Amino acid sequence: MHPAVLGLITIVFGVGGCVGYFYGANLFLDKVLYPASGPKAGRNINRANRIRPWVFFGPAILALGLYLAYPVVATFILSFQERLPGDAHVFVGFENYTKMFAEPKFAEAVFNNVLWLTVVPAAATGFGLLAAQLTDRLSWGNISKSIIFMPMAISFVGAAVIFKLVYEARPEDVAQIGILNHLYLLSGGAEPQQWLTIPFWNSFFLMAVLIWIQTGFAMVILSAALRGIPEETVEAAIVDGANPFQIFFKIKVPQIMGTIVVVWTTITIATLKVFDIVFAMTNGQWETQVLANYMYDKLFVAQDWGMGSAAAMIIMLLVTPILVWNVYNARKEMR
């Protein structure tokens, strides 16, 4: 069956199944289990309303337990085991973690993840905030926002393929299709560069892909936050003689700091888990390894389930505090 047809069938039956379940559940509660008629109508309505949220949340809780909680527990157990021939497992304690910490590739992955965490959230949030502020001043601001947000509709692999073409290098006597090498040669460069093979700097070329994608997300959220700032505070600052830079940095930014933190931490979580971009563009070669790609290499290439699971637990350990902090700030912002 063609993948497009399969996807369409999945959407139709998935959405139709959800609609059918909620409609049927309501019908069963209100007409069969607790009918809103007769001498006990009031009591039945109250009981139905108490049960209704659990009927709706039940499938979601079950799915989360099956597809999230169980894999986490299973991965945690596997990280303390070694897989033997015949699919047998033996408990080895912290040996997988010890071997992983001693590997140069793991140290490289940690260093690169720290580099990504330093650059990507700051750059994406900064560019998003700048775009949100500037597009609100334009008459065609909505069109520009749509263009900036468009990369969010592209998968990470699709974006990686696009940027791989941007960085493409061909022999010097052949016309360049990579725009970066074309500009490099026009500016007086001696020969085309293999940008993705240059250690250290190639990580920044990879980061550009994620920054390009996440800037649109940051812009949309921060634009809504900027529009929610009371006009009275801005007008009072103008009356007091504040210039546009002072209004932006001393009046607007402090009032949306909570939203900035939520956006920053959300992009940080996406950065910690980055895999597709590195896998599609370099596969961790030329000193571009990151934790998620390291985990994939151990699990599915080396078939070392113990060390792969240990790497997965390290990623989860790094993501969880940021996720908790993000939820806390989101709830605080709502209050």
Side-chain angles (χ1 to χ4, degrees):
M1 186 179 291
H2 194 278
V5 177
L6 185 61
L8 183 62
I9 292 172
T10 303
I11 292 171
V12 170
F13 277 93
V15 175
C18 289
V19 172
Y21 171 78
F22 289 122
Y23 178 77
N26 267 321
L27 199 64
F28 179 75
L29 276 175
D30 296 335
K31 301 296 183 181
V32 179
L33 192 60
Y34 296 113
S37 59
K40 298 180 180 180
R43 188 178 67 175
N44 285 348
I45 291 172
N46 290 333
R47 285 181 175 179
N49 288 336
R50 282 199 298 268
I51 294 174
R52 200 183 314 275
W54 294 104
V55 173
F56 291 166
F57 282 127
I61 294 171
L62 181 63
L64 283 173
L66 184 61
Y67 294 106
L68 185 62
Y70 170 72
V72 168
V73 174
T75 303
F76 178 74
I77 294 171
L78 281 172
S79 70
F80 294 101
Q81 296 179 341
E82 182 181 353
R83 189 186 183 195
L84 301 177
D87 205 26
H89 294 83
V90 60
F91 181 78
V92 293
F94 287 94
E95 184 180 330
N96 290 320
Y97 290 91
T98 304
K99 287 194 297 184
M100 182 177 66
F101 292 145
E103 276 199 354
K105 267 294 181 182
F106 178 76
E108 176 190 311
V110 171
F111 173 79
N112 284 331
N113 264 97
V114 170
L115 193 62
W116 279 70
L117 288 172
T118 304
V119 175
V120 174
T125 305
F127 287 141
L129 182 59
L130 182 64
Q133 174 66 13
L134 295 180
T135 52
D136 282 339
R137 292 170 168 264
L138 301 174
S139 58
W140 46 279
N142 289 334
I143 297 174
S144 61
K145 284 181 182 178
S146 299
I147 295 171
I148 295 170
F149 186 74
M150 198 175 294
M152 281 293 294
I154 304 173
S155 69
F156 282 4
V157 173
V161 171
I162 292 170
F163 271 80
K164 204 168 183 180
L165 291 173
V166 171
Y167 302 144
E168 178 72 22
R170 289 188 168 186
E172 191 175 354
D173 56 342
V174 178
Q176 297 296 319
I177 63 169
I179 190 170
L180 190 58
N181 267 312
H182 183 72
L183 295 174
Y184 176 72
L185 294 176
L186 283 179
S187 64
E191 59 182 13
Q193 299 292 312
Q194 296 285 351
W195 303 105
L196 296 178
T197 65
I198 305 172
F200 183 73
W201 297 108
N202 50 10
S203 290
F204 290 92
F205 293 125
L206 298 180
M207 291 178 208
V209 184
L210 190 55
I211 293 170
W212 181 62
I213 294 172
Q214 294 294 335
T215 294
F217 162 75
M219 176 200 66
V220 169
I221 304 299
L222 295 174
S223 177
L226 286 171
R227 288 175 180 240
I229 294 175
E231 286 294 331
E232 295 81 5
T233 58
V234 177
E235 291 170 359
I238 293 173
V239 170
D240 289 340
N243 60 47
F245 286 98
Q246 290 173 324
I247 292 172
F248 180 70
F249 288 106
K250 294 186 177 181
I251 303 298
K252 292 186 175 182
V253 170
Q255 293 189 70
I256 63 168
M257 187 55 68
T259 307
I260 292 174
V261 170
V262 170
V263 170
W264 188 299
T265 51
T266 302
I267 297 175
T268 298
I269 292 170
T271 305
L272 265 173
K273 300 186 296 181
V274 67
F275 164 74
D276 316 59
I277 294 169
V278 176
F279 180 78
M281 297 184 76
T282 65
N283 196 21
Q285 300 177 88
W286 308 298
E287 300 180 16
T288 59
Q289 188 67 288
V290 291
L291 286 172
N293 198 70
Y294 175 87
M295 176 197 71
Y296 176 86
D297 286 345
K298 289 298 179 183
L299 274 171
F300 301 108
V301 179
Q303 292 290 306
D304 190 340
W305 289 12
M307 287 185 65
S309 298
M313 294 309 301
I314 293 296
I315 296 171
M316 194 189 76
L317 191 66
L318 294 172
V319 168
T320 301
I322 302 171
L323 185 61
V324 171
W325 176 252
N326 199 14
V327 172
Y328 169 78
N329 276 285
R331 288 182 175 178
K332 184 179 178 182
E333 186 75 11
M334 289 174 65
R335 288 196 299 267

